[in-house]
Amino acid sequence: MLSLTPRIDPTIQSLLDDHDYLGELLDALGSPLAVVLPQRLQKNVTAFRETFRRHHLSGRLYYAHKANRSSALLRELAAGDIGVDVASLGELQHALGAGFTPDRIVATGPKSREFLWLAARAGVTVSADSYDELAELAGIVAGHRLPRVPVTLRLSGFASAGVRVLTRRSRFGSPVGELADLLDLLEKRADHLELTGVAYHLDTIGLPEKAVALESCLAALDECRARGLRPRSLDIGGGFGVNYLAEGAEWDRWTSELGQAVLGRRAPMTWENHGYGLRAENGTLRGSLAVYPAYRPVAGAAYLDRLLGTPAPERGRPLGELLLDHMYDLDVEPGRALLDQCGLVLARVTSVAGDRVGLDLNARDVSLEEHGVLMDPVVVPRGGDRRAGPAGVYLFGNLCLESDLITRRKVHLPVVPRPGDLLAFVNTAGYFMDFSATHALHQPIARKVAVYRSGGKRRWCLDEQYWPVHTRQEVP
Amino acid sequence: MRHDDITEAIGNTPLVRIDPAVHGLANIDLYAKLELLNPFGSVKDRAAWHMARPLLAGAKPGDTVVELSSGNTAKALALLAGMHGLPFTSVTNRMKVPEIKELLLLLGAQIDELPGRSECLDPTDTDDPLARMHRQLASSGSGYLHTDQYFNERNVDAHVHGTGPEIVKDLDGRAPDWFVACVGTAGSSTGVARVLRQHNPDVEVVGLVAEKGDFIPGIRTIDEVHEVGLFDPDVYDTMAAVTADDAIDGLLTLSRRCGILTGPTGGAAFVGAVRRLRAVDATLTSRKSCVFIVCDRIESYLSYVRDRRPELFGRPPRRNSTGTLTDAELHAAPAIGVEAAQRWLGETDALVVDLRNPYAYQALHIAGSINLVDEVFADLLHAGLPFSRRRPVLMVCPVGEKSARYAALLRRMGHPDVHSLAGGIIAWRDAGAELVRD
Ligand SMILES: Cc1ncc(COP(=O)(O)O)c(C=O)c1O
Ligand SMILES: Cc1ncc(COP(=O)(O)O)c(C=O)c1O
């Protein structure tokens, strides 16, 4: 068996066990349907806080909003004490509307003039990506007579000594070599800009690259201090990862066998023997497996813990201790990791023929494939018995395109589904729910509902109707 | 033996019989081919020299020798390039063996570590860093001399002309019945197997790879081996997996009992050989022989072994270490709040010891304090008190945790007037107390 069984925690499991509940939701709201679980966020927040505590670090957790458009998730977090990282004008409006006060918001990513103005007007922290952006912001503050805006400098292009640690080029952030120019500008515009820290975000799972970046940013912070500025924090961005699979052995077996399939030494396990980046050349595997490492024993808060325990490449002390020694706060911007186990996407099975299962959703509604995350969906049967599996099937979507496979991987289901059954794509709240959804071919975009507990009962509402004011919390 | 240059000392390594009392096989003579005695220290000296020789002969000044290697090939190439006045760059996924990394840096090599996988993956981007690098190396006039060990036939050739014939010669013109080797680039096992089969088509060739998810420096895992251009499954009668534990067990046996200072893959080959042979030994009616390869030396792998078997390096616990403090001692550690500490410092000539790293200390510290990084301080304490008992002491760390431990320890060591700054220097800063840089 080449299953890739998803990791499912009790909240999602109890929902999956309630076949009628999910069936009725889908009947009422249509397929596909996205479900978010706002109350499950707290557990992930707590895990990050716990890591902070273990390293004696203070600092702020910012939820990277880009990972999900949901209002319910955002409002639930606004009700707590963490912050939010917004990457567009729309996200900033959304965050302000959800109840985040400006001191809990950091603006990142590409910034339009309007985005900069609203950020400055509201007084949120702006993570500046370049000299020009910083200058533009100062101009807006001066021109509109706004109060001083807190800014952090996002840096990039870190160099390591000794071993050269290569990193993908990023189009964000100012090269560390230009720090002095940035600080000159900050000094000149001291009436308009107030430095609160420096930041990086690297799109990599590699700890060594992040260790180099973190240590370089510490040096940059010290340079800021030496210039008489008073930076408070180091923001290390997101990218803590999620462990999607229940068992490492399944992942090992599947990836081994994929290589064999690509070499033609076993039956294909993917549509048209797609190699996910691997290819055969003269009997040798070339290329590299371009998928997310779906089994990650160290992910989320544990990954942060590992990073903080990693010795700084130059100074040798663990990075967490260095932060403490230098008295800087640590800020983080997890997106994917904060949404671990916080949602799922449901779809109705429309046809079953041989090893092909047709679904009333398309690959954009649950963009697992686009993000390279491979895991099996869960069958939610509706009434009657199902033929026992395991069933290895290909999943087809509702677009009349040849390529509308939900995933090119043959998935494995424990029972053979029937038309009318549901498939649940679990743990898809982070990036796979609405990141890519479109109205192509007039197919509906999935409605989104929040499922939550209140007064000892499971309840649901449309995502935009959810506010974290459940009666039980109100003390008369 | 007199040589004009060190490359002439490559090859002609001894074949040494392993004492039957060690391997316990009744009917099989087990021989180790001691590749660790090559001048740069490993089996890869042969391949590196054979691959690099033609490239170096045609090199232009300023050319750079490049190889994907994090170990012995890199070491040999760095030395060979250096002899020709050329720089060497090693490209690697991860330098996992610190001793080899340090050695390469010492030899003047540049090490480029490839980036990790993207967290926010775009699977349509098949242009992985490795593919990009290959394209760059392949473009002509790039100034790179790429030995390409995973695909270069000369890697196999080196053993067809050297290692293989040497084994046959030392066995009086016969090939052994078994040949066991670990597979990295597959160069040595493929080349030797080819020669042995010419002499004895029935020789059984055993290729050893690491268990998936395990790490044995120098060889590939079961999956990775399929990415090796020189790897041809038909070369091997059997492929078997060995673990890091096997490798260390074998390393210990060969070095402690046979005087062979092998690295982990030689140990793995020994264990893999004995495991394979034990199954057949009892059924044999005539004398047979087996050869395995000892690829390199033990010295580079001390931290590799230490990480996995710390007990092998066990030393008695050191005197005066914070690790030996009891909960009661920790609880009794005298702590003092920021305000009280300021007053106390004003009234006494207390010594303020800041345990943070020197850069942090230099950036900001309590006026008049001295900086003794905790690791250094811990070392000093093993020998005894580094200051007078008559001088009051205030221990300072970031949050007051480490300093409490040292205060407790100093107290146990007989210091009568030591305090830990409660909440550490962060509390000091947060209370608005003065911090300076000199
Ligand atoms: C600046 C920044 N912060 C945070 C994140 C969130 O990353 P993740 O969801 O991997 O934690 C991103 C993702 O692209 C980002 O660009
Ligand atoms: C320590 C060690 N053992 C074994 C090998 C395997 O040799 P080959 O590359 O010829 O397969 C290597 C090769 O890199 C090595 O460094």
Side-chain angles (χ1 to χ4, degrees), chain B residues 93-330:
Chain B
N93 275 321
R94 284 298 162 249
M95 271 285 163
K96 288 199 202 152
V97 182
E99 289 90 338
I100 294 191
K101 175 159 97 183
E102 301 278 290
L103 180 59
L104 285 174
L105 291 172
L106 180 67
L107 297 177
Q110 174 170 319
I111 304 174
D112 285 0
E113 277 193 13
L114 293 167
R117 222 176 311 198
S118 168
E119 170 65 46
C120 238
L121 192 89
D122 178 3
T124 52
D125 178 16
T126 46
D127 197 24
D128 62 291
L130 200 56
R132 207 161 21 233
M133 194 203 77
H134 265 121
R135 223 175 314 114
Q136 197 185 344
L137 294 182
S139 58
S140 59
S142 65
Y144 291 114
L145 307 174
H146 181 202
T147 38
D148 201 12
Q149 62 166 340
Y150 289 100
F151 291 85
N152 190 339
E153 269 297 325
R154 293 185 68 84
N155 178 359
V156 177
D157 256 19
H159 303 282
V160 171
H161 297 299
T163 326
E166 290 169 24
I167 292 173
V168 174
K169 180 173 126 280
D170 287 339
L171 292 177
D172 306 319
R174 285 198 312 273
D177 301 285
W178 287 274
F179 170 62
V180 181
C182 290
V183 182
T185 63
S188 53
S189 41
T190 306
V192 170
R194 198 174 293 165
V195 174
L196 299 186
R197 287 220 170 89
Q198 282 163 9
H199 287 79
N200 171 14
D202 295 331
V203 58
E204 182 183 322
V205 177
V206 180
L208 299 173
V209 287
E211 200 83 70
K212 187 162 180 166
D214 215 340
F215 170 58
I216 304 179
I219 63 176
R220 312 234 101 198
T221 65
I222 289 184
D223 278 8
E224 291 164 346
V225 78
H226 297 290
E227 296 160 15
V228 175
L230 298 175
F231 176 74
D232 172 3
D234 295 338
V235 165
Y236 308 90
D237 298 283
T238 318
M239 288 296 294
V242 279
T243 64
D245 257 341
D246 291 336
I248 295 173
D249 287 341
L251 168 151
L252 290 174
T253 306
L254 288 181
S255 33
R256 289 183 176 182
R257 299 195 57 199
C258 306
I260 297 175
L261 276 179
T262 179
T265 60
F270 171 72
V271 168
V274 172
R275 194 173 285 156
R276 171 73 192 94
L277 301 176
R278 195 162 285 148
V280 289
D281 185 41
T283 67
L284 296 176
T285 51
S286 61
R287 264 223 83 73
K288 302 278 181 188
S289 62
C290 171
V291 171
F292 69 95
I293 293 190
V294 174
C295 302
D296 70 351
R297 306 178 59 86
I298 195 171
E299 287 89 346
S300 306
Y301 302 103
L302 296 180
S303 51
Y304 174 81
V305 178
R306 193 185 302 120
D307 285 349
R308 286 161 180 82
R309 301 271 181 92
E311 71 280 5
L312 291 172
F313 296 80
R315 301 185 204 95
R318 301 246 251 152
R319 249 166 33 102
N320 304 331
S321 94
T322 51
T324 61
L325 289 167
T326 63
D327 281 347
E329 283 172 316
L330 281 174

Side-chain angles (χ1 to χ4, degrees), chain A residues 164 209 252 255-256 286 325, chain B residues 111-112 116 151 212 223 356:
Chain A
R164 205 161 63 137
E209 292 160 68
D252 284 349
T255 47
S256 289
R286 299 219 92 168
D325 276 0
Chain B
I111 304 174
D112 285 0
F151 291 85
K212 187 162 180 166
D223 278 8
R356 298 174 305 145

